[in-house]
PDB file of all heavy atoms in Angstrom:
ATOM      1  N   GLY A 103      -9.552  22.463 -34.628  1.00  0.00           N
ATOM      2  CA  GLY A 103      -9.419  23.660 -33.881  1.00  0.00           C
ATOM      3  C   GLY A 103      -8.470  23.427 -32.646  1.00  0.00           C
ATOM      4  O   GLY A 103      -8.528  22.306 -32.170  1.00  0.00           O
ATOM      5  N   CYS A 104      -7.757  24.389 -32.287  1.00  0.00           N
ATOM      6  CA  CYS A 104      -6.805  24.158 -31.282  1.00  0.00           C
ATOM      7  C   CYS A 104      -7.523  23.985 -29.834  1.00  0.00           C
ATOM      8  O   CYS A 104      -6.943  23.272 -28.952  1.00  0.00           O
ATOM      9  CB  CYS A 104      -5.568  25.140 -31.239  1.00  0.00           C
ATOM     10  SG  CYS A 104      -5.827  26.649 -30.447  1.00  0.00           S
ATOM     11  N   LYS A 105      -8.716  24.444 -29.755  1.00  0.00           N
ATOM     12  CA  LYS A 105      -9.466  24.159 -28.430  1.00  0.00           C
ATOM     13  C   LYS A 105      -9.563  22.721 -28.200  1.00  0.00           C
ATOM     14  O   LYS A 105      -9.348  22.275 -27.015  1.00  0.00           O
ATOM     15  CB  LYS A 105     -10.833  24.829 -28.566  1.00  0.00           C
ATOM     16  CG  LYS A 105     -11.709  24.676 -27.314  1.00  0.00           C
ATOM     17  CD  LYS A 105     -13.018  25.337 -27.501  1.00  0.00           C
ATOM     18  CE  LYS A 105     -13.856  25.330 -26.242  1.00  0.00           C
ATOM     19  NZ  LYS A 105     -15.140  26.053 -26.356  1.00  0.00           N
ATOM     20  N   ILE A 108      -6.223  21.397 -26.947  1.00  0.00           N
ATOM     21  CA  ILE A 108      -5.870  21.832 -25.631  1.00  0.00           C
ATOM     22  C   ILE A 108      -6.772  21.109 -24.484  1.00  0.00           C
ATOM     23  O   ILE A 108      -6.251  20.634 -23.497  1.00  0.00           O
ATOM     24  CB  ILE A 108      -6.190  23.403 -25.401  1.00  0.00           C
ATOM     25  CG1 ILE A 108      -5.219  24.120 -26.320  1.00  0.00           C
ATOM     26  CG2 ILE A 108      -6.051  23.819 -24.005  1.00  0.00           C
ATOM     27  CD1 ILE A 108      -5.554  25.701 -26.536  1.00  0.00           C
ATOM     28  N   TYR A 129      -7.513  32.124 -21.198  1.00  0.00           N
ATOM     29  CA  TYR A 129      -8.571  31.413 -21.970  1.00  0.00           C
ATOM     30  C   TYR A 129      -8.920  30.159 -21.050  1.00  0.00           C
ATOM     31  O   TYR A 129      -8.000  29.422 -20.467  1.00  0.00           O
ATOM     32  CB  TYR A 129      -7.813  30.815 -23.199  1.00  0.00           C
ATOM     33  CG  TYR A 129      -8.621  30.003 -24.206  1.00  0.00           C
ATOM     34  CD1 TYR A 129      -9.734  30.517 -24.776  1.00  0.00           C
ATOM     35  CD2 TYR A 129      -8.147  28.712 -24.506  1.00  0.00           C
ATOM     36  CE1 TYR A 129     -10.340  29.785 -25.818  1.00  0.00           C
ATOM     37  CE2 TYR A 129      -8.911  27.982 -25.449  1.00  0.00           C
ATOM     38  CZ  TYR A 129      -9.973  28.515 -26.117  1.00  0.00           C
ATOM     39  OH  TYR A 129     -10.608  27.832 -27.044  1.00  0.00           O
ATOM     40  N   TYR A 132      -7.537  25.760 -20.751  1.00  0.00           N
ATOM     41  CA  TYR A 132      -6.293  25.128 -20.121  1.00  0.00           C
ATOM     42  C   TYR A 132      -6.732  24.524 -18.769  1.00  0.00           C
ATOM     43  O   TYR A 132      -6.394  23.480 -18.382  1.00  0.00           O
ATOM     44  CB  TYR A 132      -5.192  26.172 -19.872  1.00  0.00           C
ATOM     45  CG  TYR A 132      -4.903  27.098 -20.929  1.00  0.00           C
ATOM     46  CD1 TYR A 132      -4.854  28.464 -20.719  1.00  0.00           C
ATOM     47  CD2 TYR A 132      -4.707  26.581 -22.231  1.00  0.00           C
ATOM     48  CE1 TYR A 132      -4.614  29.334 -21.797  1.00  0.00           C
ATOM     49  CE2 TYR A 132      -4.420  27.498 -23.273  1.00  0.00           C
ATOM     50  CZ  TYR A 132      -4.391  28.858 -23.005  1.00  0.00           C
ATOM     51  OH  TYR A 132      -4.141  29.776 -24.092  1.00  0.00           O
ATOM     52  N   ASN A 175       0.374  31.548 -22.812  1.00  0.00           N
ATOM     53  CA  ASN A 175      -0.242  31.959 -24.073  1.00  0.00           C
ATOM     54  C   ASN A 175       0.211  33.439 -24.420  1.00  0.00           C
ATOM     55  O   ASN A 175      -0.184  34.368 -23.708  1.00  0.00           O
ATOM     56  CB  ASN A 175      -1.715  31.873 -23.972  1.00  0.00           C
ATOM     57  CG  ASN A 175      -2.536  32.770 -24.875  1.00  0.00           C
ATOM     58  OD1 ASN A 175      -3.400  33.447 -24.401  1.00  0.00           O
ATOM     59  ND2 ASN A 175      -2.267  32.727 -26.153  1.00  0.00           N
ATOM     60  N   ASN A 179      -4.409  36.235 -24.712  1.00  0.00           N
ATOM     61  CA  ASN A 179      -5.861  36.512 -24.517  1.00  0.00           C
ATOM     62  C   ASN A 179      -6.144  36.260 -23.055  1.00  0.00           C
ATOM     63  O   ASN A 179      -5.761  35.199 -22.571  1.00  0.00           O
ATOM     64  CB  ASN A 179      -6.709  35.552 -25.387  1.00  0.00           C
ATOM     65  CG  ASN A 179      -8.196  35.666 -25.188  1.00  0.00           C
ATOM     66  OD1 ASN A 179      -8.596  36.575 -24.533  1.00  0.00           O
ATOM     67  ND2 ASN A 179      -8.871  34.657 -25.623  1.00  0.00           N
ATOM     68  N   ASP A 207       0.394  28.194 -26.165  1.00  0.00           N
ATOM     69  CA  ASP A 207      -0.767  28.525 -27.136  1.00  0.00           C
ATOM     70  C   ASP A 207      -0.315  29.819 -27.840  1.00  0.00           C
ATOM     71  O   ASP A 207      -0.327  30.914 -27.319  1.00  0.00           O
ATOM     72  CB  ASP A 207      -2.068  28.740 -26.309  1.00  0.00           C
ATOM     73  CG  ASP A 207      -3.261  29.114 -27.210  1.00  0.00           C
ATOM     74  OD1 ASP A 207      -2.992  29.226 -28.370  1.00  0.00           O
ATOM     75  OD2 ASP A 207      -4.352  29.102 -26.631  1.00  0.00           O
ATOM     76  N   CYS A 209      -1.826  31.013 -30.712  1.00  0.00           N
ATOM     77  CA  CYS A 209      -2.947  31.306 -31.704  1.00  0.00           C
ATOM     78  C   CYS A 209      -2.978  32.607 -32.180  1.00  0.00           C
ATOM     79  O   CYS A 209      -3.589  32.856 -33.264  1.00  0.00           O
ATOM     80  CB  CYS A 209      -4.168  30.607 -31.328  1.00  0.00           C
ATOM     81  SG  CYS A 209      -5.112  31.578 -30.204  1.00  0.00           S
ATOM     82  N   TYR A 210      -2.330  33.636 -31.502  1.00  0.00           N
ATOM     83  CA  TYR A 210      -2.409  35.014 -31.982  1.00  0.00           C
ATOM     84  C   TYR A 210      -1.010  35.474 -32.592  1.00  0.00           C
ATOM     85  O   TYR A 210      -0.831  36.740 -32.678  1.00  0.00           O
ATOM     86  CB  TYR A 210      -2.787  36.026 -30.813  1.00  0.00           C
ATOM     87  CG  TYR A 210      -4.235  35.692 -30.400  1.00  0.00           C
ATOM     88  CD1 TYR A 210      -4.591  35.008 -29.300  1.00  0.00           C
ATOM     89  CD2 TYR A 210      -5.256  36.261 -31.163  1.00  0.00           C
ATOM     90  CE1 TYR A 210      -5.933  34.730 -29.005  1.00  0.00           C
ATOM     91  CE2 TYR A 210      -6.602  36.117 -30.918  1.00  0.00           C
ATOM     92  CZ  TYR A 210      -6.906  35.347 -29.732  1.00  0.00           C
ATOM     93  OH  TYR A 210      -8.238  35.048 -29.356  1.00  0.00           O
ATOM     94  N   SER A 238      -3.452  27.808 -34.461  1.00  0.00           N
ATOM     95  CA  SER A 238      -4.831  27.637 -35.040  1.00  0.00           C
ATOM     96  C   SER A 238      -4.952  28.513 -36.285  1.00  0.00           C
ATOM     97  O   SER A 238      -4.308  29.565 -36.424  1.00  0.00           O
ATOM     98  CB  SER A 238      -5.773  28.222 -34.047  1.00  0.00           C
ATOM     99  OG  SER A 238      -7.056  28.338 -34.604  1.00  0.00           O
ATOM    100  N   SER A 240      -7.828  29.766 -36.999  1.00  0.00           N
ATOM    101  CA  SER A 240      -9.104  30.488 -36.633  1.00  0.00           C
ATOM    102  C   SER A 240      -8.913  31.955 -36.695  1.00  0.00           C
ATOM    103  O   SER A 240      -9.741  32.682 -37.413  1.00  0.00           O
ATOM    104  CB  SER A 240      -9.546  30.226 -35.199  1.00  0.00           C
ATOM    105  OG  SER A 240     -10.153  28.812 -35.213  1.00  0.00           O
ATOM    106  N   LYS A 241      -7.899  32.574 -36.004  1.00  0.00           N
ATOM    107  CA  LYS A 241      -7.846  33.962 -35.893  1.00  0.00           C
ATOM    108  C   LYS A 241      -7.018  34.535 -37.094  1.00  0.00           C
ATOM    109  O   LYS A 241      -7.347  35.553 -37.641  1.00  0.00           O
ATOM    110  CB  LYS A 241      -7.198  34.396 -34.546  1.00  0.00           C
ATOM    111  CG  LYS A 241      -7.758  33.583 -33.335  1.00  0.00           C
ATOM    112  CD  LYS A 241      -9.112  34.044 -32.945  1.00  0.00           C
ATOM    113  CE  LYS A 241      -9.891  33.225 -31.925  1.00  0.00           C
ATOM    114  NZ  LYS A 241      -9.184  32.643 -30.828  1.00  0.00           N
ATOM    115  N   ARG A 249     -12.899  25.152 -37.874  1.00  0.00           N
ATOM    116  CA  ARG A 249     -12.287  24.199 -36.963  1.00  0.00           C
ATOM    117  C   ARG A 249     -11.006  23.492 -37.557  1.00  0.00           C
ATOM    118  O   ARG A 249     -11.024  22.400 -37.939  1.00  0.00           O
ATOM    119  CB  ARG A 249     -13.287  23.087 -36.483  1.00  0.00           C
ATOM    120  CG  ARG A 249     -14.714  23.600 -36.114  1.00  0.00           C
ATOM    121  CD  ARG A 249     -14.671  24.757 -35.135  1.00  0.00           C
ATOM    122  NE  ARG A 249     -13.912  24.454 -33.962  1.00  0.00           N
ATOM    123  CZ  ARG A 249     -12.939  25.364 -33.420  1.00  0.00           C
ATOM    124  NH1 ARG A 249     -12.741  26.420 -34.030  1.00  0.00           N
ATOM    125  NH2 ARG A 249     -12.388  25.017 -32.308  1.00  0.00           N
ATOM    126  N   LEU A 250      -9.989  24.241 -37.599  1.00  0.00           N
ATOM    127  CA  LEU A 250      -8.720  23.727 -37.906  1.00  0.00           C
ATOM    128  C   LEU A 250      -7.531  24.312 -37.225  1.00  0.00           C
ATOM    129  O   LEU A 250      -7.424  25.624 -37.137  1.00  0.00           O
ATOM    130  CB  LEU A 250      -8.547  23.970 -39.512  1.00  0.00           C
ATOM    131  CG  LEU A 250      -7.276  23.252 -40.144  1.00  0.00           C
ATOM    132  CD1 LEU A 250      -7.383  21.798 -40.009  1.00  0.00           C
ATOM    133  CD2 LEU A 250      -7.173  23.706 -41.715  1.00  0.00           C
ATOM    134  N   TYR A 326      -7.647  42.311 -28.931  1.00  0.00           N
ATOM    135  CA  TYR A 326      -8.279  42.662 -27.649  1.00  0.00           C
ATOM    136  C   TYR A 326      -7.669  43.944 -27.002  1.00  0.00           C
ATOM    137  O   TYR A 326      -6.371  44.162 -27.101  1.00  0.00           O
ATOM    138  CB  TYR A 326      -8.047  41.444 -26.541  1.00  0.00           C
ATOM    139  CG  TYR A 326      -8.587  40.173 -27.094  1.00  0.00           C
ATOM    140  CD1 TYR A 326      -7.775  39.096 -27.250  1.00  0.00           C
ATOM    141  CD2 TYR A 326     -10.014  40.014 -27.352  1.00  0.00           C
ATOM    142  CE1 TYR A 326      -8.273  37.900 -27.781  1.00  0.00           C
ATOM    143  CE2 TYR A 326     -10.563  38.780 -27.764  1.00  0.00           C
ATOM    144  CZ  TYR A 326      -9.714  37.827 -28.023  1.00  0.00           C
ATOM    145  OH  TYR A 326     -10.195  36.595 -28.502  1.00  0.00           O
TER     146      TYR A 326
HETATM  147  C1  LIG B 401      -9.655  31.567 -29.927  1.00  0.00           C
HETATM  148  C2  LIG B 401      -8.669  30.933 -28.901  1.00  0.00           C
HETATM  149  C3  LIG B 401      -8.380  29.549 -29.108  1.00  0.00           C
HETATM  150  C4  LIG B 401      -9.246  28.697 -29.946  1.00  0.00           C
HETATM  151  O1  LIG B 401      -8.904  28.444 -31.164  1.00  0.00           O
HETATM  152  P1  LIG B 401      -9.675  27.396 -32.127  1.00  0.00           P
HETATM  153  O2  LIG B 401      -8.544  26.897 -33.036  1.00  0.00           O
HETATM  154  O3  LIG B 401     -10.771  28.132 -32.829  1.00  0.00           O
HETATM  155  O4  LIG B 401     -10.150  26.330 -31.259  1.00  0.00           O
HETATM  156  C5  LIG B 401      -7.443  29.052 -28.348  1.00  0.00           C
HETATM  157  N1  LIG B 401      -6.604  29.847 -27.510  1.00  0.00           N
HETATM  158  C6  LIG B 401      -6.964  31.130 -27.340  1.00  0.00           C
HETATM  159  C7  LIG B 401      -6.077  31.862 -26.413  1.00  0.00           C
HETATM  160  C8  LIG B 401      -7.968  31.625 -28.085  1.00  0.00           C
HETATM  161  O5  LIG B 401      -8.203  32.982 -27.900  1.00  0.00           O
END
Side-chain angles (χ1 to χ4, degrees):
C104 82
K105 181 180 190 177
I108 294 167
Y129 183 61
Y132 316 128
N175 157 231
N179 173 13
D207 180 350
C209 79
Y210 292 100
S238 169
S240 286
K241 315 290 167 42
R249 313 312 303 132
L250 186 60
Y326 302 115

